[in-house]
Amino acid sequence: MAEASAPRFVAPRAPSAPWARQAPIEGSSSGATLGGVRIVLRLEGLVVLAAAVAAYMHLGAGWGAFAMLFLLPDLSFLGYLGGPRVGAIAYNAAHSYIGPVALLVLGFVGDVPAALALGLIWCAHIGLDRALGYGLKYGNEFGATHLGRIGRADPW
């Protein structure tokens, strides 16, 4: 019984590097990526943006079309008029790499330059979003993404 009431001393832990932190326990977090993993995912987005722009330049397609179509995936925000769940589904459909990679394959295999150009513009858009920290959305609220919260924190 005396052992149960004795004080327990816990050795202090040295702060770990952000990329070496333990992943959160399931159910204890919003599911957002943390630390160094988040940094790597944002850097990947930057690399995708740079590669897509370089490939687009090599393709020789017009920059006017690039400028006009670059923000097209953001029309998926209109899905939020149907609520956060519908909005997240629409946003994630327009901001995952499934669609643009399918267009790139179609453009490459089928020799369709317009599909290649559209796929590269779409990849560039997603890459920029990821580099800026805008991740895929969870259905509970707009600000909850796989790369962490976005937007202002509630001051209250």
Side-chain angles (χ1 to χ4, degrees), residues 49-149:
L49 170 63
V53 169
Y56 191 84
M57 189 170 23
H58 182 72
L59 184 63
W63 289 103
F66 188 95
M68 284 187 343
L69 297 172
F70 186 74
L71 296 177
L72 187 64
D74 285 340
L75 288 177
S76 63
F77 283 122
L78 293 174
Y80 279 95
L81 294 173
R85 183 168 163 72
V86 173
I89 292 169
Y91 181 91
N92 291 344
H95 288 83
S96 78
Y97 287 110
I98 298 168
V101 169
L103 278 174
L104 292 173
V105 169
L106 171 69
F108 185 72
V109 173
D111 196 25
V112 183
L116 273 176
L118 189 56
L120 289 170
I121 294 168
W122 199 353
C123 281
H125 175 90
I126 295 170
L128 178 65
D129 275 5
R130 295 291 199 287
L132 294 175
Y134 297 105
L136 297 174
K137 308 286 189 207
Y138 289 101
N140 56 341
E141 62 174 303
F142 176 78
T145 78
H146 86 285
L147 292 178
R149 284 214 39 80

Side-chain angles (χ1 to χ4, degrees), residues 7-38:
R8 294 178 43 187
F9 294 101
V10 179
R13 290 181 19 176
S16 61
W19 56 85
R21 289 187 187 135
Q22 183 177 7
I25 299 170
E26 188 174 334
S28 68
S29 175
S30 66
T33 306
L34 304 172
V37 174
R38 183 172 192 237

